[in-house]
Amino acid sequence: MDARRTDEAPDSGAPLLRLHLFDGFRATRDGGPEPAERWSRPSARTLVKLLAVVPGHRLHREQAMDICWPDADPQSAAGSLRVALHAARHALEPELAPRAASSYLISDGGMLFLDQTAVWIDADAAETAAEATLAEGGAAELAAVLDLFSGELLPEDRYVDWAEERRGRLALLRERLLLGLAEAHLANGAAADAATAAERVLATSPAEELAHRVLIDAALRQGLRRRALHQYHLCREALDAELGVRPGPETEQLHRAALAAAPTPVPIRTTLPAPLRAEPATPLHGRDAVLDRLLAADGPPVTLLTGEAGIGKTRLVGEVARRAAASGTAVLWGGGQDAEGHTPYGAFAEALDGWLAEHDAAQRARIGAEYPELAAFLPSLGQVRTPGERSPEEERDRLFRAGAALLGDLAAARPVLAVLDDLHAADTGSYQLMSHLARRAAERGIRLRFLVTYREEELPEGDARRSILSFLVRQRLAVREELGLLDREACLAVARAAAPRPGQEHRVWELSLGNPLFALELARDLAEGPADAGAPEGVRELVADRLVRLDPDARRLVEALSVAGGEAALSELLDVAEHGLHPPVTGAAAADGVERAIGASLVEERQVVVAGRPEPGLAFRHPLVRLTCYERLTAVRRRQLHGAFARAVLARRPDAVDALASHFARADDPRAAEYLRRAAERAAALYANDTADRYYRDLVARLDVDAARARLAHSQVLARMGHFAEAAEALRQALAEFVRRRPGARARRGPCRRGSRARSRSYGS
């Protein structure tokens, strides 16, 4: 590089010309008329760029002709060079007089060059500063120089040979700066900043061992043992794949340090999960024996609690969880959600997200750094990762192992009880993950127990979820506990708690037959209704009767909540009440309506976790109450409310594709196809194959034309599930659709229906 080069004005008196090569070529001057933005000849612009990147910024005429006009004969190339030189000089120096010498682009016999006293080039300035800073600069100086490498060198000429050497040299220099910055940050104790710099190196040079070593060292300094071990194995894979070598001694030494390091302590919070914080409305009656069995620490890792609807499974496991937490057990609470479809691993996502929501941002970031695989399905830790080069089975195994590691580390500090409520509404992936965790807990003596409630009638014969539960029982990893009806004394105790009219308790026993929910609702009905009223036939009639007694605003809010599912954030429900109900329910009327619905014992206040954050919410006191409210709605009313909820979720949680797909589909909204596709792709990326299969089936059924891409993706999911005949049929249908869409096929096929075209466009092909 010429030492005469300077940022000062040149001796000739011409303004300093600045050539910018990073992020695209442009030319500016420090004074006088600006160079042309649009050059009259592209060859002139290419000639200037060529001189700006070659060593010394000097080039022989014949070299320039060979590069710029390789296919032209010498005479034509010489003529083209003269024209390009003339155009370039006047583009850089608009005021240049005819036949006058250029201040910047000089000809000297057979040589062409840029006058380095009059021309400043950003790549040269960056290179000079980098070389000086690498010799003696600290972290701040290195970071400042890195800012000079403001983008790719001539991105518009990415594939030309003449810029390749300079581009490579600058890339290596930038990499040296990043590595120097990473090591400087490590020396200063800034491990996180060092890791960030090293990751920037690996983004372009995955086999750079020093960058891997910095990341391993940074992870160890932050106490992220799993992250350090994972990075070591990434380093081994990259070095073997690209160079065919093993890590060096320094890297192996860091690996041994990671193996010897103690596991990272997982932050422990003793607070109860949000669904358990409200005190129970009534005492628990008639369940002492089963309560003792469920609290016992011995037995297999999974207890399956089943029984008829309304028998009190959720109430019982809630009491178990409260007592376990009081004795020092860490309690996680999650469950299946009917309203939002089978969210991939939804039961565990709810349990872990609820637990993570109790930690501050720094603690969540630390957990996310130690268990990055879990970010795939936990909103608290981030978004879905970009799929790697591993097979779906390998990626799912990594996710399962990360979940096992997190719960194992948590159980190392104190016993863990994971309550999975209403698991009949969860996806197959949740069952598979539970099976994996139960097996690991049994094999390694991990203090991890699962307490599961479900309704057997919701898992038909042949359902993969039922098969997984049967496998767990056969392997003695799970035990079933059937929750029976209350005896007469316990049932009467439940009835007395609701204070029916004197002498009416026996009717509660006769009609409820010991079902706690029936007993409670019957007792309340007898307490509020006329003495000679006939007893309702079942809980649905009871709930319907209670709904009728509500004022219109409260009833409409409860109906809207039934469309949301078992629970909803108060902010979303009020948004629907204001914008989705006609007439709207807002302000004091909405608050009064919520209070009256709570007073009627239909719903209760509860914290809910939305996108990893706890928020005030409302929940039905029992799923059957919600189901009764939902079934009473007309089809038109359901569609309207689902559409309103979809709009509320879209405004507040645009990434909640499962909820949006469910609500838009039930609203019969044209956007359903797009969100079904996104939900299916997300489920497939998380290897929740049964959920992806369900979404794709619904999606294909909604597309009259151009379902080929959906069928093609669906066939891959079916093949992954082992349903090869169905996968082949989906492929055949996709092929037929692609054939129909070939040019000329429409003329043979005839015109499409207008509605079909509209629906196909909604899929976004």
Side-chain angles (χ1 to χ4, degrees):
M1 194 170 294
D2 198 312
R4 295 176 298 162
R5 194 132 172 240
T6 177
D7 281 5
E8 299 297 326
D11 296 338
S12 65
L16 183 69
L17 174 67
R18 296 181 181 271
L19 298 181
H20 304 268
L21 308 184
F22 291 126
D23 269 340
F25 176 79
R26 59 191 178 90
T28 60
R29 292 204 300 174
D30 287 357
E34 282 296 313
E37 289 188 14
R38 307 184 80 178
W39 292 41
S40 60
R41 289 186 175 274
S43 58
R45 188 184 182 97
T46 300
L47 181 62
V48 173
K49 290 191 285 186
L50 175 61
L51 289 170
V53 300
V54 296
H57 309 298
R58 304 173 68 86
L59 203 63
H60 196 277
R61 288 174 176 268
E62 292 183 359
Q63 290 177 291
M65 290 188 290
D66 286 342
I67 293 172
C68 297
W69 300 276
D71 299 325
D73 59 78
Q75 185 175 358
S76 298
S80 297
L81 177 60
R82 284 194 299 273
V83 173
L85 278 170
H86 177 80
R89 286 164 172 159
H90 284 276
L92 296 173
E93 199 172 0
E95 74 278 14
L96 186 65
R99 300 184 180 279
S102 171
S103 303
Y104 312 116
L105 182 50
I106 311 300
S107 299
D108 183 8
M111 299 299 297
L112 301 174
F113 60 90
L114 295 174
D115 186 346
Q116 297 183 61
T117 64
V119 179
W120 175 92
I121 302 174
D122 60 353
D124 290 353
E127 196 169 349
T128 301
E131 294 289 357
T133 307
L134 282 169
E136 55 188 26
E141 292 79 11
L142 289 165
V145 172
L146 269 170
D147 290 339
L148 299 179
F149 292 76
S150 55
E152 182 183 355
L153 183 83
L154 299 176
E156 69 273 21
D157 297 308
R158 184 173 295 136
Y159 304 110
V160 298
D161 294 336
W162 49 264
E164 189 61 32
E165 181 183 348
R166 187 68 185 280
R167 182 178 287 113
R169 189 165 74 246
L170 289 170
L172 287 174
L173 193 55
R174 177 180 175 274
E175 189 173 291
R176 288 174 57 201
L177 286 169
L178 284 169
L179 290 171
L181 178 62
E183 292 185 304
H185 280 315
L186 271 184
N188 295 338
D193 293 334
T196 300
E199 285 168 351
R200 292 172 65 185
V201 174
L202 293 179
T204 55
S205 300
E208 175 51 62
E209 186 176 1
L210 178 55
H212 284 287
R213 195 156 58 238
V214 167
L215 281 170
I216 298 170
D217 197 352
L220 286 174
R221 295 183 187 213
Q222 296 175 87
L224 303 176
R225 175 179 178 270
R226 286 188 73 254
R227 187 68 177 267
L229 291 170
H230 176 65
Q231 194 64 46
Y232 168 78
H233 289 291
L234 289 179
C235 176
R236 282 197 59 169
E237 292 172 7
L239 291 175
D240 182 60
E242 292 201 17
L243 305 175
V245 299
R246 292 176 59 85
E250 292 177 294
T251 307
E252 292 292 354
Q253 184 177 358
L254 286 172
H255 179 219
R256 289 192 293 272
L259 290 171
T264 304
V266 176
I268 302 294
R269 291 297 179 94
T270 58
T271 53
L272 281 169
L276 301 179
R277 290 176 191 167
E279 286 298 322
T282 58
L284 186 65
H285 296 285
R287 301 300 190 193
D288 292 341
V290 67
L291 187 60
D292 290 340
R293 289 197 297 274
L294 295 179
L295 283 169
D298 54 352
V302 179
T303 300
L304 304 171
L305 187 63
T306 186
E308 68 180 59
I311 202 66
K313 299 183 292 296
T314 301
R315 174 70 178 85
L316 176 60
V317 296
E319 186 64 26
V320 172
R322 288 186 180 88
R323 297 193 185 189
S327 67
T329 296
V331 176
L332 281 66
W333 185 287
Q337 296 292 338
D338 282 311
E340 296 195 354
H342 286 186
T343 302
Y345 313 110
F348 284 92
E350 182 179 343
L352 291 173
D353 247 349
W355 172 70
L356 287 167
E358 301 301 324
H359 298 79
D360 59 35
Q363 289 173 321
R364 290 200 303 272
R366 184 180 183 83
I367 293 169
E370 183 71 348
Y371 311 94
E373 301 90 344
L374 298 182
F377 73 106
L378 293 180
S380 297
L381 297 182
Q383 301 300 313
V384 176
R385 295 176 298 111
T386 302
E389 296 180 355
R390 298 177 180 86
S391 69
E393 292 75 16
E394 289 174 317
E395 289 288 355
R396 186 174 64 178
D397 182 63
R398 286 163 55 80
L399 186 149
F400 281 16
R401 288 179 182 275
L406 172 59
L407 291 174
D409 290 345
L410 181 58
R414 64 174 61 196
V416 177
L417 174 64
V419 179
L420 304 178
D421 194 26
D422 288 337
L423 205 65
H424 55 268
D427 69 318
T428 305
S430 293
Y431 286 72
Q432 293 169 333
L433 181 52
M434 180 181 69
S435 175
H436 175 83
L437 295 172
R439 181 164 46 82
R440 289 282 293 267
E443 291 172 351
R444 305 187 181 188
I446 299 172
R447 297 181 298 172
L448 171 63
R449 296 173 55 223
F450 295 94
L451 185 51
V452 175
T453 72
Y454 74 105
R455 295 200 295 269
E456 286 198 82
E457 63 271 18
E458 298 288 341
L459 302 179
E461 291 294 336
D463 192 306
R465 298 170 296 170
R466 177 184 282 269
S467 300
I468 292 172
L469 296 184
S470 299
F471 169 81
L472 290 173
V473 172
R474 288 196 308 273
Q475 297 295 316
R476 299 185 179 181
L477 295 172
V479 62
R480 280 193 176 92
E481 179 78 45
E482 176 110 21
L483 194 59
L485 297 168
L486 296 176
D487 61 26
R488 188 175 189 277
E489 197 57 42
C491 185
L492 292 178
V494 170
R496 292 189 192 101
R501 286 185 174 86
Q504 296 293 321
E505 294 94 337
H506 68 284
R507 290 179 60 81
V508 173
W509 167 248
E510 291 171 356
L511 294 172
S512 71
L513 299 178
N515 182 296
L517 177 66
F518 278 48
L520 186 60
E521 293 298 331
L522 283 163
R524 286 172 176 161
D525 186 70
L526 291 171
E528 298 172 3
D532 57 351
E537 294 181 2
V539 70
R540 284 177 172 79
E541 289 78 8
L542 285 174
V543 175
D545 187 56
R546 298 176 77 84
L547 281 172
V548 169
R549 297 181 207 172
L550 287 175
D551 65 279
D553 285 346
R555 183 169 62 252
R556 291 162 66 214
L557 285 168
V558 171
E559 290 172 348
L561 182 61
S562 75
V563 171
E567 62 184 26
L570 189 59
S571 57
E572 290 185 2
L573 181 63
L574 294 178
D575 193 359
V576 171
E578 180 176 359
H579 302 290
L581 298 182
H582 303 286
V585 182
T586 61
D592 292 343
V594 169
E595 289 183 354
R596 288 191 291 272
I598 294 172
S601 297
L602 291 171
V603 301
E604 61 185 6
E605 291 184 290
R606 178 187 299 174
Q607 270 199 333
V608 298
V609 177
V610 178
R613 299 186 304 274
E615 290 189 19
L618 288 180
F620 282 95
R621 295 181 66 87
H622 192 279
L624 283 180
V625 179
R626 178 255 166 186
L627 185 61
T628 301
C629 296
Y630 188 79
E631 289 178 344
R632 285 173 48 85
L633 297 173
T634 64
V636 172
R637 187 73 169 148
R638 287 181 192 174
R639 289 174 60 178
Q640 176 195 355
L641 289 173
H642 276 297
F645 258 102
R647 291 189 291 273
V649 172
L650 188 61
R652 296 175 179 274
R653 297 182 285 147
D655 293 327
V657 293
D658 296 279
L660 289 168
S662 176
H663 284 304
F664 276 133
R666 298 184 190 195
D668 201 22
D669 190 288
R671 288 170 285 186
E674 169 63 17
Y675 283 97
L676 283 168
R677 177 186 65 79
R678 290 174 60 183
E681 291 174 351
R682 178 177 185 270
L686 292 170
Y687 321 112
N689 297 323
D690 65 311
T691 301
D693 175 41
R694 186 177 301 106
Y695 282 134
Y696 276 126
R697 288 182 189 277
D698 194 356
L699 173 60
V700 171
R702 290 173 179 273
L703 299 176
D704 286 348
V705 296
D706 195 21
R709 288 183 174 82
R711 287 195 175 98
L712 188 60
H714 187 197
S715 70
Q716 296 171 347
V717 171
L718 290 169
R720 196 183 299 165
M721 297 170 69
H723 299 167
F724 300 112
E726 292 184 69
E729 179 59 27
L731 275 174
R732 280 193 291 271
Q733 293 179 8
L735 178 59
E737 178 62 27
F738 281 127
V739 170
R740 284 195 296 270
R741 293 178 59 205
R742 288 185 305 176
R746 177 169 297 182
R748 296 191 300 271
R749 185 173 68 244
C752 296
R753 292 185 294 112
R754 181 175 301 174
S756 298
R757 290 195 297 270
R759 280 187 287 273
S760 70
R761 284 195 298 272
S762 72
Y763 174 57
S765 63

